[in-house]
Amino acid sequence: MESPGTTAFETAIGPCAIAWGEKGIVGVQLPEADAAATQAKLQKRFPLAQERPAPAAVRDVIDRIIALLEGEKVDFSKAPLDMEGLPPLHRQVYEIALQIAPGETLTYGAIARRIGDVSLSQAIGQALGKNPFPIIVPCHRVLGASGKTGGFSANGGAETKLRILTIEGARTSDEPDLFGNLPLAMKPGRR
């Protein structure tokens, strides 16, 4: 059994890193202060991982992450993610989040309703806070009620979340735009 692999790569928001194993991608690290700090943080999560060139399927995901952070509309729904060992609720939340298209948002409550239990909003926030696959599983596209940003566990917190949403063209305010349009999170059926 081969140890997990890792590699770092540059994006429009800074150096990111990715880790994978035999069953797929096991983690993504958003930018820290520099490339070394980013790689070190991922290495801490996956201490047995070794830096090496990414296999083709992982390289394809890296290329799509880079493209997304340059403003392209990218679909990660078929990304080879290894969710084995994750709690069932987390897997359910991540599968729903994978369906949120770039430029769109959903609220924690909307995800709770899709799962069938509105009392789970806080647990959904906690699951997203532990998302091992940020960007791929777009936890940044999940907002609080009324379009509030909510938390973001990446370096830079909510500022990084807003930066990514802005790159994707998502409305990040609950104020109507110049034409009176409400943000995506406020549109009927999006809450």
Side-chain angles (χ1 to χ4, degrees), residues 114-157:
R114 288 186 185 188
I115 290 172
D117 187 348
V118 293
S119 70
L120 290 176
S121 293
Q122 187 174 11
I124 288 163
Q126 291 169 352
L128 291 168
K130 294 178 181 177
N131 176 10
F133 321 103
I135 301 294
I136 298 171
V137 171
C139 52
H140 61 279
R141 295 181 192 148
V142 182
L143 304 175
S146 302
K148 292 179 183 157
T149 307
F152 196 55
S153 59
N155 186 31

Side-chain angles (χ1 to χ4, degrees), residues 28-39:
V28 174
Q29 181 61 51
L30 293 178
E32 291 294 319
D34 57 36
T38 301
Q39 187 67 19

Side-chain angles (χ1 to χ4, degrees), residues 13 17 28 40 46-47 52 55 119 146 160 171:
I13 66 167
V28 174
F46 302 100
R52 61 173 165 259
S119 70
S146 302
T160 300
R171 295 273 320 284

Side-chain angles (χ1 to χ4, degrees), residues 144-189:
S146 302
K148 292 179 183 157
T149 307
F152 196 55
S153 59
N155 186 31
E159 185 177 312
T160 300
K161 183 175 188 170
L162 288 171
R163 185 174 178 199
I164 297 168
L165 287 169
T166 300
I167 289 169
E168 293 183 346
R171 295 273 320 284
T172 56
S173 166
D174 59 359
E175 295 294 317
D177 67 14
L178 295 173
F179 307 104
N181 297 314
L182 291 172
L184 293 170
M186 300 294 295
K187 288 186 178 179

Side-chain angles (χ1 to χ4, degrees), residues 50-74:
Q50 298 175 352
E51 271 191 78
R52 61 173 165 259
V58 175
R59 185 72 237 171
D60 177 61
V61 171
I62 291 170
D63 291 343
R64 287 189 277 154
I65 291 171
I66 292 168
L68 179 88
L69 293 172
E70 289 176 351
E72 292 182 34
K73 303 289 185 199
V74 176

